[in-house]
Short mmCIF file of all heavy atoms in Angstrom, two decimals:
data_model
loop_
_atom_site.label_atom_id
_atom_site.label_comp_id
_atom_site.label_asym_id
_atom_site.label_seq_id
_atom_site.Cartn_x
_atom_site.Cartn_y
_atom_site.Cartn_z
N GLN A 1 101.41 81.83 123.67
CA GLN A 1 101.24 81.56 125.08
C GLN A 1 102.38 82.22 125.83
O GLN A 1 103.54 81.92 125.58
CB GLN A 1 101.23 80.05 125.35
CG GLN A 1 101.08 79.68 126.82
CD GLN A 1 99.73 80.05 127.38
OE1 GLN A 1 98.70 79.80 126.77
NE2 GLN A 1 99.73 80.69 128.55
N MET A 2 102.05 83.11 126.74
CA MET A 2 103.04 83.87 127.48
C MET A 2 102.94 83.52 128.95
O MET A 2 101.92 83.80 129.59
CB MET A 2 102.85 85.37 127.27
CG MET A 2 102.85 85.79 125.81
SD MET A 2 102.76 87.59 125.59
CE MET A 2 101.11 87.89 126.24
N ASN A 3 103.98 82.91 129.47
CA ASN A 3 104.05 82.53 130.87
C ASN A 3 105.15 83.30 131.57
O ASN A 3 106.05 83.85 130.94
CB ASN A 3 104.30 81.03 131.01
CG ASN A 3 103.20 80.18 130.42
OD1 ASN A 3 102.02 80.54 130.46
ND2 ASN A 3 103.58 79.02 129.88
N SER A 4 105.09 83.32 132.89
CA SER A 4 106.11 84.00 133.70
C SER A 4 106.35 85.41 133.20
O SER A 4 107.50 85.84 133.02
CB SER A 4 107.41 83.19 133.70
OG SER A 4 107.20 81.89 134.20
N LEU A 5 105.29 86.14 132.99
CA LEU A 5 105.41 87.48 132.42
C LEU A 5 106.15 88.43 133.35
O LEU A 5 106.05 88.35 134.57
CB LEU A 5 104.02 88.03 132.11
CG LEU A 5 103.39 87.46 130.84
CD1 LEU A 5 101.89 87.69 130.83
CD2 LEU A 5 104.03 88.08 129.60
N LYS A 6 106.89 89.32 132.72
CA LYS A 6 107.68 90.32 133.41
C LYS A 6 107.23 91.71 133.00
O LYS A 6 106.70 91.89 131.91
CB LYS A 6 109.16 90.15 133.08
CG LYS A 6 109.73 88.77 133.37
CD LYS A 6 111.18 88.68 132.90
CE LYS A 6 111.76 87.30 133.18
NZ LYS A 6 113.16 87.21 132.70
N PRO A 7 107.46 92.71 133.85
CA PRO A 7 107.12 94.08 133.44
C PRO A 7 107.78 94.49 132.13
O PRO A 7 107.20 95.28 131.37
CB PRO A 7 107.64 94.93 134.61
CG PRO A 7 107.54 94.02 135.78
CD PRO A 7 107.90 92.66 135.25
N GLU A 8 108.95 93.96 131.84
CA GLU A 8 109.65 94.27 130.60
C GLU A 8 108.92 93.76 129.36
O GLU A 8 109.25 94.16 128.24
CB GLU A 8 111.07 93.68 130.62
CG GLU A 8 111.91 94.11 131.81
CD GLU A 8 111.74 93.17 133.00
OE1 GLU A 8 112.45 92.13 133.03
OE2 GLU A 8 110.91 93.47 133.88
N ASP A 9 107.96 92.88 129.55
CA ASP A 9 107.16 92.37 128.44
C ASP A 9 106.05 93.33 128.04
O ASP A 9 105.38 93.10 127.03
CB ASP A 9 106.55 91.02 128.79
CG ASP A 9 107.59 89.94 129.02
OD1 ASP A 9 108.57 89.87 128.25
OD2 ASP A 9 107.42 89.15 129.98
N THR A 10 105.85 94.37 128.80
CA THR A 10 104.80 95.34 128.50
C THR A 10 105.05 95.99 127.15
O THR A 10 106.12 96.55 126.90
CB THR A 10 104.73 96.41 129.60
OG1 THR A 10 104.35 95.81 130.84
CG2 THR A 10 103.71 97.49 129.24
N ALA A 11 104.07 95.91 126.28
CA ALA A 11 104.19 96.44 124.93
C ALA A 11 102.88 96.22 124.19
O ALA A 11 101.98 95.53 124.67
CB ALA A 11 105.33 95.74 124.17
N VAL A 12 102.80 96.82 123.02
CA VAL A 12 101.74 96.48 122.09
C VAL A 12 102.24 95.32 121.24
O VAL A 12 103.32 95.40 120.66
CB VAL A 12 101.36 97.66 121.18
CG1 VAL A 12 100.29 97.25 120.18
CG2 VAL A 12 100.86 98.83 122.03
N TYR A 13 101.47 94.26 121.19
CA TYR A 13 101.85 93.07 120.45
C TYR A 13 101.09 93.02 119.14
O TYR A 13 99.87 93.17 119.10
CB TYR A 13 101.57 91.81 121.27
CG TYR A 13 102.59 91.59 122.38
CD1 TYR A 13 102.62 92.43 123.49
CD2 TYR A 13 103.51 90.56 122.29
CE1 TYR A 13 103.56 92.24 124.49
CE2 TYR A 13 104.45 90.37 123.29
CZ TYR A 13 104.47 91.21 124.38
OH TYR A 13 105.41 91.02 125.38
N TYR A 14 101.82 92.77 118.06
CA TYR A 14 101.25 92.76 116.72
C TYR A 14 101.40 91.39 116.07
O TYR A 14 102.47 90.78 116.14
CB TYR A 14 101.95 93.78 115.82
CG TYR A 14 101.82 95.21 116.27
CD1 TYR A 14 102.76 95.77 117.12
CD2 TYR A 14 100.76 96.00 115.83
CE1 TYR A 14 102.65 97.09 117.54
CE2 TYR A 14 100.65 97.32 116.24
CZ TYR A 14 101.60 97.85 117.09
OH TYR A 14 101.49 99.17 117.49
N CYS A 15 100.34 90.95 115.44
CA CYS A 15 100.40 89.74 114.64
C CYS A 15 100.93 90.08 113.25
O CYS A 15 100.61 91.13 112.70
CB CYS A 15 99.01 89.11 114.55
SG CYS A 15 98.95 87.53 113.67
N ASN A 16 101.70 89.18 112.70
CA ASN A 16 102.34 89.40 111.41
C ASN A 16 102.25 88.14 110.57
O ASN A 16 102.38 87.03 111.08
CB ASN A 16 103.80 89.80 111.61
CG ASN A 16 104.61 89.78 110.33
OD1 ASN A 16 105.28 88.79 110.01
ND2 ASN A 16 104.56 90.88 109.60
N ALA A 17 102.02 88.32 109.28
CA ALA A 17 102.01 87.21 108.34
C ALA A 17 102.85 87.59 107.13
O ALA A 17 102.74 88.71 106.63
CB ALA A 17 100.59 86.85 107.92
N GLN A 18 103.66 86.66 106.67
CA GLN A 18 104.55 86.92 105.54
C GLN A 18 104.38 85.85 104.48
O GLN A 18 104.25 84.67 104.79
CB GLN A 18 106.01 86.96 106.00
CG GLN A 18 106.32 88.09 106.96
CD GLN A 18 107.76 88.07 107.43
OE1 GLN A 18 108.49 87.10 107.19
NE2 GLN A 18 108.18 89.13 108.09
N GLN A 19 104.40 86.30 103.25
CA GLN A 19 104.38 85.40 102.11
C GLN A 19 105.48 85.82 101.16
O GLN A 19 105.49 86.95 100.68
CB GLN A 19 103.02 85.43 101.41
CG GLN A 19 102.92 84.47 100.23
CD GLN A 19 101.57 84.53 99.55
OE1 GLN A 19 100.85 85.53 99.64
NE2 GLN A 19 101.20 83.46 98.87
N SER A 20 106.39 84.92 100.91
CA SER A 20 107.54 85.23 100.08
C SER A 20 107.43 84.55 98.73
O SER A 20 106.99 83.40 98.62
CB SER A 20 108.83 84.78 100.76
OG SER A 20 109.04 85.47 101.98
N THR A 21 107.84 85.28 97.70
CA THR A 21 107.98 84.73 96.36
C THR A 21 109.40 85.01 95.90
O THR A 21 110.18 85.69 96.58
CB THR A 21 106.99 85.36 95.38
OG1 THR A 21 107.34 86.72 95.14
CG2 THR A 21 105.57 85.31 95.94
N ILE A 22 109.74 84.49 94.74
CA ILE A 22 111.08 84.75 94.23
C ILE A 22 111.23 86.20 93.79
O ILE A 22 112.35 86.67 93.57
CB ILE A 22 111.42 83.81 93.06
CG1 ILE A 22 110.42 83.98 91.91
CG2 ILE A 22 111.45 82.37 93.53
CD1 ILE A 22 110.80 83.22 90.66
N ILE A 23 110.12 86.91 93.68
CA ILE A 23 110.15 88.30 93.25
C ILE A 23 110.17 89.27 94.42
O ILE A 23 110.99 90.21 94.47
CB ILE A 23 108.95 88.62 92.33
CG1 ILE A 23 108.97 87.71 91.10
CG2 ILE A 23 108.97 90.08 91.93
CD1 ILE A 23 107.77 87.87 90.20
N ARG A 24 109.29 89.07 95.39
CA ARG A 24 109.20 89.97 96.53
C ARG A 24 108.46 89.31 97.68
O ARG A 24 107.91 88.21 97.54
CB ARG A 24 108.51 91.28 96.15
CG ARG A 24 107.06 91.11 95.71
CD ARG A 24 106.44 92.45 95.41
NE ARG A 24 105.07 92.33 94.92
CZ ARG A 24 104.27 93.35 94.68
NH1 ARG A 24 104.70 94.60 94.88
NH2 ARG A 24 103.04 93.15 94.23
N GLU A 25 108.47 90.00 98.80
CA GLU A 25 107.81 89.52 100.00
C GLU A 25 106.56 90.34 100.29
O GLU A 25 106.58 91.57 100.23
CB GLU A 25 108.76 89.58 101.19
CG GLU A 25 108.18 89.05 102.49
CD GLU A 25 109.16 89.09 103.62
OE1 GLU A 25 109.90 88.10 103.80
OE2 GLU A 25 109.21 90.13 104.32
N TYR A 26 105.48 89.66 100.62
CA TYR A 26 104.25 90.30 101.03
C TYR A 26 104.13 90.19 102.55
O TYR A 26 104.41 89.15 103.12
CB TYR A 26 103.03 89.65 100.38
CG TYR A 26 103.03 89.74 98.87
CD1 TYR A 26 103.69 88.79 98.10
CD2 TYR A 26 102.36 90.78 98.22
CE1 TYR A 26 103.70 88.88 96.72
CE2 TYR A 26 102.35 90.86 96.84
CZ TYR A 26 103.02 89.91 96.09
OH TYR A 26 103.02 90.00 94.72
N GLU A 27 103.70 91.26 103.18
CA GLU A 27 103.64 91.29 104.63
C GLU A 27 102.34 91.94 105.08
O GLU A 27 101.91 92.97 104.54
CB GLU A 27 104.83 92.06 105.18
CG GLU A 27 105.03 91.92 106.67
CD GLU A 27 106.37 92.46 107.11
OE1 GLU A 27 106.66 93.64 106.79
OE2 GLU A 27 107.13 91.71 107.75
N TYR A 28 101.72 91.36 106.12
CA TYR A 28 100.47 91.85 106.65
C TYR A 28 100.58 92.00 108.16
O TYR A 28 101.29 91.25 108.82
CB TYR A 28 99.32 90.90 106.30
CG TYR A 28 99.22 90.59 104.83
CD1 TYR A 28 99.84 89.47 104.30
CD2 TYR A 28 98.52 91.43 103.97
CE1 TYR A 28 99.76 89.18 102.94
CE2 TYR A 28 98.44 91.15 102.62
CZ TYR A 28 99.06 90.04 102.11
OH TYR A 28 98.98 89.76 100.76
N TRP A 29 99.84 92.98 108.69
CA TRP A 29 99.90 93.28 110.11
C TRP A 29 98.52 93.43 110.71
O TRP A 29 97.60 93.95 110.07
CB TRP A 29 100.66 94.59 110.35
CG TRP A 29 102.10 94.52 109.99
CD1 TRP A 29 102.67 94.86 108.80
CD2 TRP A 29 103.18 94.10 110.85
NE1 TRP A 29 104.04 94.67 108.85
CE2 TRP A 29 104.37 94.21 110.09
CE3 TRP A 29 103.24 93.65 112.16
CZ2 TRP A 29 105.61 93.88 110.63
CZ3 TRP A 29 104.47 93.32 112.69
CH2 TRP A 29 105.64 93.44 111.93
N GLY A 30 98.39 92.98 111.95
CA GLY A 30 97.20 93.27 112.72
C GLY A 30 97.30 94.64 113.34
O GLY A 30 98.32 95.33 113.22
N ARG A 31 96.25 95.07 114.02
CA ARG A 31 96.21 96.39 114.62
C ARG A 31 96.94 96.47 115.95
O ARG A 31 97.27 97.56 116.41
CB ARG A 31 94.77 96.85 114.80
CG ARG A 31 94.02 97.07 113.50
CD ARG A 31 92.57 97.38 113.76
NE ARG A 31 91.89 96.25 114.39
CZ ARG A 31 90.64 96.29 114.82
NH1 ARG A 31 89.92 97.39 114.69
NH2 ARG A 31 90.11 95.21 115.39
#
């Protein structure tokens, strides 16, 4: 939820998901 938006907020916004194990981290991205 983004309120009081400013011109400086202009950007491409990406969703990210992370899953960590003791061995390595898995990471996923939206478009």
Side-chain angles (χ1 to χ4, degrees):
Q1 179 67 46
M2 304 185 294
N3 298 326
S4 302
L5 283 162
K6 304 175 180 179
E8 305 89 85
D9 296 318
T10 296
V12 178
Y13 284 70
Y14 298 90
C15 184
N16 169 265
Q18 296 178 349
Q19 182 180 23
S20 297
T21 70
I22 59 172
I23 301 175
R24 63 177 177 175
E25 182 178 271
Y26 299 86
E27 192 168 54
Y28 307 94
W29 294 93
R31 294 174 296 175

